[in-house]
């Protein structure tokens, strides 16, 4: 292949750049100021030409990205991110500021998206493999095909990184450091602003003579389309046209290839209908570590280099000092001065023209962080990468669902932010309740802007805590969800109904019902409840029913807090509970250890659910709590039920006051008798005092039970002890350290010396044998205050209980 870069002043001005390179951006601005072209052509999807004027809007704040998505498949999308230091962004702004037409000339997105659909296994070029190419770049407006054949050329299958090759030739082992030295740290030549582009084009031409397309086969198609667009612009504006593109493409765009050959290469390209818009982007998405390789590891640092033309190192280290001071680290002006000196010294020792990110980072670590990488990680996160989130004008094209979300966000004063933050909501306040509804509805739509987390300091159902973080990919999720409706509410209702019909398991439907209540979607509940009732009627697996019941009962509580009518939900929950009551005892027979443990967890969950369900009974279903206690009594004495379940049933009955302590001690004594296999006895103990149910405190306060366990354990035969020990160890290791210490102390004292009921009759230390009326009465004013009572009719028995 013979190519020649035009240096004669005729033909288009080809400005080869590195995408997201501040040095390239400054050089582009200087070259455009010097050349004053009549039109600026930019590598990018031509469908976005109508969006270019929005770049001058006062509400536009980079980083932003052009988003293209297939109309029929919104999930099929591509991004073209731009930062303030991107050469393409600088070219766009220069053209708008000077009243010069600006156009995108890369292959249309309509072909790019179709290409990805037909060849999903082949990835589009990314900056991870070609440092001067933006990932997802690729594919703009269609050209008219001709009958001529494309040139006879075999694309290379070796994918190369041009910058890495040039860096290696210059003796660098790091392409980023080489680029900083030769481009980012040099000033724009005042005498000849076009000189940097000529040198870079010559280097790329040499590489392409050796490597051909460099393994980027699609580049040949893209370059053919760009050549056609350049020719069309030349017909309209003459040769006074500037082209801003990846440096890798410059030799190909200056190559002399016939129009017929270029059109032939474009013949038969697949296509889909595509829409485009601007979306906010983030610095973290400009970094490779985010999973989207845009070619730079340090967007915050590059943004600083672009803005700080004068004394960038001094300004950067001053900024670092300010951040560390804000985190209460002692950093003085002297630290900044010493860090600057150290960075400059390191640059000289390493043969660099100016200190780069590596030198400044080493200086910060040594001078400001006392050699620690902990504060240095904060500097990297906040400054080197940064939390910048771009903004786009409100009148930018968007799907109706996105516009409704934008309006709702403004109304609720819930602005998207790139930095992760926690949001505390009090559902008793209308604004907070509306925020909660919005976040829950978005989660139903598959837009996880917020993630629910445990609330600190409150366990009330009126309190919610969310962890919020806006990611650019959520714009694609919103476009995908647009098929369900034009508003967040309508889309959430439609998708919930569809999810209910398509759910495979009963637990999925109950979880969906819970989420519908949280999102306050009463219009979706009839469909969800009908599906739930049908699935519950057909499902005979007690485990599935037990999994489904807790979510339904929680939904009743949520509905109560949000003022939602949950009558139908209560009816289904009560029916589900009755089926569990009937099916649970037979389901507990003949279980192995793993299955028994699973049923034990289901028993715990159902017990808690029935306790809550009893507060809102469904008409016609009687006293569910009493019926559940009857089921527990059956489980506690049936020999065919595994020991872990029998022990848990006894414990739950004891906690409910349905079983006297003497009877519980008798049942424990029976199971710990010599006639019971040690393994079964250990499983019973696991069910009775294990599972994180407060069993440790029960043993501390009731020494009769502790004495039974102690006596049984000391009597276990040596040959069975090794089988019993792992189960007991698992049971007691779940206790709090303080509880374990107390139990150990009580066992160490031995029978008759523990101060317990069995020994002395005076109870456990700290607990009297009878209620102290005078001390109990002292707490009555506090109890009245907590309960909001104005009278003194608080029963002392209730307080003691």
């Amino acid at each position: 292949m013979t190519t020649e870069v035009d240096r004669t002043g005729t033909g288009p001005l080809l400005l080869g750049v590195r995408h997201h390179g501040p040095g390239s951006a400054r050089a582009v601005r200087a070259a455009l100021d010097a050349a004053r072209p009549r039109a600026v052509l930019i590598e990018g999807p031509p469908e976005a030409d109508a969006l270019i004027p929005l770049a001058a809007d006062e509400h536009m704040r980079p980083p932003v990205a052009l988003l293209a998505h297939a109309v029929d498949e919104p999930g099929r999308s591509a991004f073209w991110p731009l930062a303030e230091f991107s050469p393409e962004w600088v070219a766009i702004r220069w053209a708008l500021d000077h009243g010069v037409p600006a156009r995108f000339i890369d292959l249309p997105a309509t072909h790019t998206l179709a290409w990805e659909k037909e060849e999903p296994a082949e990835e589009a070029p990314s900056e991870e493999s070609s440092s001067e190419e933006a990932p997802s770049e690729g594919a703009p407006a269609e050209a008219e095909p001709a009958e001529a054949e494309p040139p006879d050329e075999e694309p290379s299958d070796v994918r190369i990184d041009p910058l890495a090759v040039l860096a290696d030739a210059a003796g660098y082992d790091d392409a980023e450091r080489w680029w900083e030295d030769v481009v980012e740290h040099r000033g724009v030549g005042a005498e000849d602003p076009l000189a940097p582009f000529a040198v870079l084009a010559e280097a790329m031409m040499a590489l392409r003579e050796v490597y051909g397309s460099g393994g980027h086969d699609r580049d040949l198609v893209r370059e053919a389309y760009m050549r056609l667009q350049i020719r069309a612009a030349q017909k309209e504006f003459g040769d006074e046209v500037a082209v801003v593109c990846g440096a890798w493409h410059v030799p190909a765009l200056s190559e002399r290839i016939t129009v017929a050959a270029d059109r032939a290469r474009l013949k038969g390209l697949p296509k889909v209908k595509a829409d485009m818009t601007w979306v906010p982007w983030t610095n973290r998405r400009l970094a490779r570590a985010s999973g989207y390789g845009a070619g730079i590891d340090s967007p915050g640092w590059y943004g600083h280099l672009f803005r700080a033309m004068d004394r960038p190192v001094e300004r950067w280290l001053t900024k670092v000092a300010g951040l560390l001071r804000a985190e209460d680290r002692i950093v003085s002006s002297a630290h900044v001065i010493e860090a600057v000196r150290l960075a400059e010294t390191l640059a000289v020792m390493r043969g660099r023209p100016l200190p780069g990110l590596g030198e400044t980072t080493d200086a910060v670590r040594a001078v400001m962080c006392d050699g620690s990488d902990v504060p240095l990680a904060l500097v990297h996160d906040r400054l080197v990468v940064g939390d910048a989130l771009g903004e786009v004008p409100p009148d930018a094209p968007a799907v109706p669902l996105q516009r409704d979300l934008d309006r709702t966000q403004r109304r609720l004063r819930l602005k998207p932010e790139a930095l992760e933050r926690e949001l505390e909501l009090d559902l008793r306040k209308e604004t907070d309740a509306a925020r909660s509804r919005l976040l829950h509805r978005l989660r139903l739509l598959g837009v996880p802007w917020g993630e629910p987390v445990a609330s600190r300091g409150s366990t009330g159902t009126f309190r919610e805590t969310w962890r919020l973080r806006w990611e650019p990919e959520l714009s694609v999720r919103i476009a995908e969800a647009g098929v369900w409706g034009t508003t967040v509410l309508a889309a959430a209702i439609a998708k919930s109904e569809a999810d209910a019909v398509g759910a495979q398991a009963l637990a999925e439907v109950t979880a969906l019902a819970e989420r519908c209540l949280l999102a306050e979607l009463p219009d979706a509940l009839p469909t969800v409840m009908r599906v739930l009732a049908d699935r519950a009627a057909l499902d005979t697996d007690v485990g599935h029913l037990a999994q489904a019941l807790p979510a339904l009962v929680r939904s009743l509580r949520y509905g109560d807090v949000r003022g939602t009518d949950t009558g139908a939900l209560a009816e289904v929950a009560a029916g589900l509970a009755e089926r569990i009551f009937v099916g649970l005892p037979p389901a507990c027979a003949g279980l192995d250890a793993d299955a028994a443990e699973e049923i034990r967890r289901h028993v715990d969950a159902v017990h808690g659910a029935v306790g809550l369900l009893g507060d809102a009974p469904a008409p016609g279903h009687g006293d569910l709590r009493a019926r559940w206690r009857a089921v527990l009594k059956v489980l506690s004495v049936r020999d065919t039920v595994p020991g872990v379940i029998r022990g848990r049933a006894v414990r739950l009955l004891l906690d409910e006051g349905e079983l006297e302590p003497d009877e519980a001690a008798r049942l424990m004594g029976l199971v710990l008798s010599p006639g019971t296999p040690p393994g079964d006895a250990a499983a019973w103990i696991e069910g009775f005092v294990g599972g994180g149910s407060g069993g440790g405190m029960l043993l501390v306060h009731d020494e009769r039970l502790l004495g039974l366990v102690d006596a049984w354990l000391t009597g276990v035969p040596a040959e069975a002890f090794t089988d019993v020990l792992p189960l007991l160890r698992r049971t007691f290791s779940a206790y709090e350290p303080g509880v374990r210490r107390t139990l150990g102390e009580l066992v160490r004292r031995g029978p008759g010396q523990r101060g317990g009921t069995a020994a002395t009759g005076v109870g456990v230390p700290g607990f009297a044998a009878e209620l102290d009326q005078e001390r109990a009465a002292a707490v009555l004013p506090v109890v009245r205050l907590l309960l909001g009572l104005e009278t003194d009719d608080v029963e002392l028995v209730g307080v003691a209980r």
Side-chain angles (χ1 to χ4, degrees):
M1 179 178 68
T2 60
T3 59
E4 181 178 354
V5 178
D6 192 346
R7 301 169 185 237
T8 64
T10 61
L13 174 63
L14 301 178
L15 304 178
V17 301
R18 181 194 182 186
H19 302 294
H20 312 310
S24 289
R26 288 195 300 267
V28 163
R29 186 163 54 194
L32 293 176
D33 285 338
R36 297 285 174 172
R38 295 177 58 196
V40 177
L41 308 181
I42 303 165
E43 185 181 333
E47 293 96 334
D49 284 352
L51 303 176
I52 289 178
L54 290 174
D57 192 287
E58 61 179 359
H59 296 100
M60 181 72 86
R61 298 283 186 276
V64 292
L66 289 168
L67 164 63
H69 66 86
V71 174
D72 298 330
E73 296 180 75
R76 187 172 302 282
S77 59
F79 293 96
W80 286 259
L82 298 171
E84 63 174 332
F85 50 83
S86 298
E88 297 88 348
W89 179 260
V90 170
I92 290 172
R93 290 306 308 265
W94 186 93
L96 293 174
D97 292 342
H98 292 80
V100 173
R103 297 174 183 173
F104 289 112
I105 62 169
D106 204 348
L107 194 68
T110 185
H111 297 309
T112 303
L113 299 176
W115 223 342
E116 296 301 322
K117 181 177 181 179
E118 289 195 350
E119 302 177 33
E122 182 180 348
E123 297 182 358
S126 75
E127 298 230 359
E128 303 248 4
S129 58
S130 177
S131 297
E132 84 295 345
E133 285 295 329
S136 294
E137 269 185 358
E142 66 185 299
E144 295 182 6
E147 295 300 325
E149 293 298 325
D152 186 12
E153 179 179 337
E154 288 295 331
S156 169
D157 59 355
V158 179
R159 298 178 66 85
I160 68 164
D161 179 348
L163 295 190
V165 174
L166 294 175
D168 183 66
Y172 284 74
D173 57 2
D174 185 351
E176 288 286 331
R177 191 159 64 90
W178 174 81
W179 183 262
E180 279 195 353
D181 286 353
V182 300
V183 178
E184 307 303 344
H185 290 164
R186 68 181 301 277
V188 177
E191 295 182 359
D192 185 5
L194 303 182
F197 299 104
V199 173
L200 194 56
E202 186 175 352
M204 293 299 167
M205 181 174 63
L207 287 176
R208 293 199 68 145
E209 287 179 347
V210 175
Y211 295 103
S213 68
H216 306 286
D217 299 340
R218 295 184 180 179
D219 283 356
L220 301 176
V221 178
R222 295 171 54 204
E223 289 159 355
Y225 187 87
M226 285 192 275
R227 283 192 294 266
L228 291 174
Q229 296 300 96
I230 292 172
R231 292 187 185 104
Q234 285 179 288
K235 289 181 180 179
E236 184 176 355
F237 301 104
D239 287 338
E240 298 177 73
V241 174
V243 180
V244 179
C245 63
W248 179 252
H249 301 301
V250 170
L253 298 186
S254 62
E255 188 178 3
R256 301 185 185 281
I257 295 179
T258 64
V259 173
D262 281 340
R263 287 180 174 174
R265 191 177 289 280
L266 298 170
K267 184 179 180 180
L269 289 180
K271 57 190 298 187
V272 296
K273 187 177 180 181
D275 274 349
M276 293 207 70
T277 186
W278 289 107
V279 295
W281 205 249
T282 67
N283 270 13
R284 297 185 186 281
R285 280 295 180 265
L286 288 171
R288 288 196 183 106
S290 68
Y292 175 84
I296 50 174
D297 297 312
S298 48
W301 165 253
Y302 271 22
H304 170 79
L305 290 180
F306 182 72
R307 291 186 296 268
M309 292 292 295
D310 177 44
R311 306 178 74 86
V313 176
E314 290 84 346
R315 296 180 186 276
W316 175 259
L317 292 174
T318 301
K319 189 184 299 185
V320 171
L323 172 65
L324 294 177
R325 289 193 195 104
E327 297 296 324
D328 296 328
R329 292 190 65 87
I330 301 175
V331 180
S332 66
S333 300
H335 285 91
V336 177
I337 295 171
E338 289 303 317
V340 171
R341 290 175 177 171
L342 178 56
E344 292 174 343
T345 302
L346 289 173
V348 172
M349 294 175 61
R350 295 171 182 176
R352 307 195 65 179
L354 283 175
L357 181 59
E359 287 69 37
T360 57
T361 299
D362 290 343
V364 169
R365 179 190 291 109
V367 178
M368 299 183 186
C369 300
D370 300 323
S372 173
D373 284 336
V374 175
L376 197 65
L378 178 68
V379 173
H380 181 273
D381 185 66
R382 298 280 185 85
L383 295 182
V384 176
V385 176
D387 295 311
L389 173 65
E391 297 180 18
V392 299
D395 55 347
V399 296
L401 181 62
Q402 178 69 66
R403 294 196 179 281
D404 179 67
L405 176 59
D406 292 341
R407 287 192 296 267
T408 306
Q409 288 172 333
R410 289 194 295 270
R411 177 171 56 84
L412 299 179
R413 299 185 298 279
L414 204 56
K415 183 179 179 180
E417 297 178 7
L419 184 64
E420 186 177 279
R421 67 184 180 99
E422 284 195 358
L423 177 67
E424 294 281 351
L425 299 179
D426 185 341
L427 301 183
R428 297 170 296 185
K429 301 177 180 178
E430 179 54 35
T431 299
D432 282 1
R435 290 172 172 173
S436 172
R437 289 194 294 269
L438 174 63
L439 294 171
H440 280 296
R441 289 169 183 174
L442 289 176
R443 284 175 57 80
L444 279 169
L445 291 173
V447 184
W449 177 20
E451 184 73 22
V453 296
S455 296
R456 294 191 297 268
S458 174
T459 57
T461 56
F462 63 85
R463 184 80 63 185
E464 278 187 355
T465 304
W466 292 83
R467 183 175 292 118
L468 303 181
R469 183 168 179 172
W470 186 265
E471 300 286 2
E473 287 83 354
L474 297 182
S475 299
V476 179
R477 298 285 188 91
I478 294 170
E480 288 182 279
V483 301
W484 298 106
T486 58
T487 66
V488 175
L489 174 60
I493 291 173
K495 189 171 189 303
S496 298
E497 293 175 341
D499 288 347
V501 174
Q504 299 297 320
L506 177 62
E508 293 179 24
V509 186
T510 56
L512 181 61
E514 180 180 12
R515 296 172 68 186
C516 286
L517 283 172
L518 290 169
E520 199 168 311
L521 301 177
D523 292 341
L525 276 177
T527 300
V528 176
M529 296 310 302
R530 185 183 69 253
V531 174
L532 176 59
D534 293 344
R535 294 290 174 85
L538 296 175
D539 201 325
T540 59
D541 191 311
V542 174
H544 293 168
L545 300 177
Q547 283 180 320
L549 182 62
L552 284 182
V553 176
R554 285 197 304 269
S555 300
L556 291 174
R557 297 182 69 200
Y558 296 141
D560 184 53
V561 172
R562 290 167 169 77
T564 306
D565 182 10
T566 56
L569 199 63
E571 179 69 22
V572 174
L576 210 60
E578 289 189 339
R579 296 186 60 203
I580 293 173
F581 298 163
V582 173
L584 185 58
C588 291
L591 300 177
D592 60 17
D594 292 338
E597 177 60 25
E598 183 179 358
I599 291 293
R600 196 271 302 165
R601 289 194 295 269
H602 290 329
V603 169
D604 283 346
V606 171
H607 182 75
V610 170
L612 295 174
L613 190 59
D615 295 332
H621 288 276
D623 189 347
L624 294 176
R625 285 180 174 175
R627 297 174 64 183
W628 172 243
R629 288 193 290 266
V631 173
L632 291 177
K633 289 179 180 178
V634 171
L635 295 177
S636 67
V637 297
R638 184 170 290 183
D639 293 337
T640 57
V641 175
V644 68
I645 300 175
R646 284 186 285 121
R648 181 47 54 97
V650 171
R651 172 63 191 282
L652 294 177
L653 289 171
L654 180 64
D655 291 345
E656 287 286 311
E658 290 296 310
L659 197 66
E660 294 296 329
D662 291 341
E663 179 63 14
R666 186 185 72 82
L667 292 173
M668 178 179 280
L670 290 176
V671 79
L672 297 183
S673 63
T676 303
D680 293 345
W684 196 96
I685 294 174
E686 161 72 8
F688 187 76
V689 297
S693 59
M697 293 303 297
L698 180 67
L699 294 179
V700 168
H701 292 162
D702 193 331
E703 289 203 40
R704 290 174 300 175
L705 299 181
L706 178 60
L708 289 171
V709 174
D710 187 24
W712 167 79
L713 184 59
T714 57
V716 172
E719 60 273 12
F721 188 78
T722 54
D723 296 330
V724 170
L725 183 60
L727 187 59
L728 293 178
R729 185 186 181 103
R730 184 181 68 185
T731 300
F732 289 94
S733 64
Y735 296 161
E736 294 291 333
V739 173
R740 293 202 301 269
R741 283 195 300 270
T742 303
L743 288 174
E745 180 63 24
L746 292 175
V747 171
R748 186 184 64 82
R749 293 177 186 174
Q753 299 182 14
R754 296 172 182 160
T757 305
T760 64
V762 297
V764 179
F767 293 85
E770 296 181 358
L771 176 66
D772 189 328
Q773 301 282 344
E774 183 177 353
R775 296 183 65 185
V779 305
L780 290 181
V782 177
V783 173
R784 283 196 293 270
L785 180 63
L786 292 174
L787 298 179
L789 301 177
E790 298 181 356
T791 61
D792 294 338
D793 56 351
V794 178
E795 294 291 341
L796 186 60
V797 175
V799 174
R801 188 174 298 163

